[in-house]
Amino acid sequence: MAESREASMTEDPAAGKATGKTTGKATGKATGKAGKTAGKAESAARTGLGQGPGRLLVMLYGVFTVAAASRSIYQLIAQYQEAPLAYILSAVSAAVYAFITVSLVRGGEGARKAAIVCCALELLGVLTVGTWTLADPSAFPDQTVWSDYGMGYLFIPIFLPVTGLLWLRKARRG
């Protein structure tokens, strides 16, 4: 019995010390975790545009950036005199695609709003150039990315901004 009293007395101070240490550590960890959680939430909100289905958009916009930029750079250098308007519009589409790609990768509310504006302008450009190329084909002796609503690119240029706008709208709610 004497041993059990000593054990309980020894346990009591140890329990007090452990409780003090545990409380201090738990508070520190809770604060640390809350800070990390807030940082993760901020990071997730910032990068959320390019997550999930947004990754497909980032990939498609990236591919279209490279395709349109490569095509327009070559055409502006080697064939500018043949169809300057078409080649300049291809360069503009490359710049639009690049901006949207960067906005989706960057994430955050400001980037989302900028991407919405750019996707809307892209859609307007595809509709305008697509209609123009059908109404007056002589104005475009060569194709642009947006000619005939993107027919040369499997109509992806007409669906990409619509899909982008829908994703950006959903990302706002999420």
Side-chain angles (χ1 to χ4, degrees):
M1 286 227 145
E3 287 178 272
S4 67
R5 279 188 188 170
E6 285 176 25
S8 65
M9 289 173 94
T10 309
E11 286 176 20
D12 252 353
K17 287 182 184 176
T19 306
K21 286 182 182 177
T22 304
T23 306
K25 286 183 180 177
T27 306
K29 284 183 181 179
T31 306
K33 284 182 183 178
K36 288 179 185 178
T37 304
K40 284 181 184 178
E42 185 178 309
S43 174
R46 189 163 173 84
T47 60
L49 298 177
Q51 301 299 316
R55 286 185 182 181
L56 179 61
L57 281 174
V58 169
M59 184 202 67
L60 285 172
Y61 272 113
V63 167
F64 269 76
T65 299
V66 172
S70 301
R71 177 182 180 164
S72 66
I73 289 169
Y74 170 76
Q75 290 172 327
L76 286 170
I77 292 170
Q79 304 168 333
Y80 180 75
Q81 300 306 325
E82 294 175 26
L85 179 60
Y87 304 150
I88 290 170
L89 285 172
S90 287
V92 168
S93 69
V96 169
Y97 292 142
F99 185 85
I100 294 170
T101 303
V102 169
S103 294
L104 289 171
V105 169
R106 184 171 178 260
E109 186 60 18
R112 188 188 69 78
K113 287 179 180 178
I116 286 174
V117 169
C118 221
C119 282
L121 290 174
E122 175 194 358
L123 181 59
L124 180 65
V126 173
L127 293 173
T128 302
V129 172
T131 303
W132 192 359
T133 55
L134 294 175
D136 185 14
S138 63
F140 295 90
D142 201 358
Q143 297 286 307
T144 72
V145 176
W146 295 341
S147 294
D148 302 320
Y149 305 108
M151 186 168 63
Y153 289 86
L154 305 172
F155 295 102
I156 293 173
I158 192 73
F159 293 113
L160 201 53
V162 173
T163 307
L165 287 167
L166 291 173
W167 173 249
L168 291 164
R169 183 173 176 225
K170 181 182 179 209
R172 183 187 85 210
R173 285 188 249 143

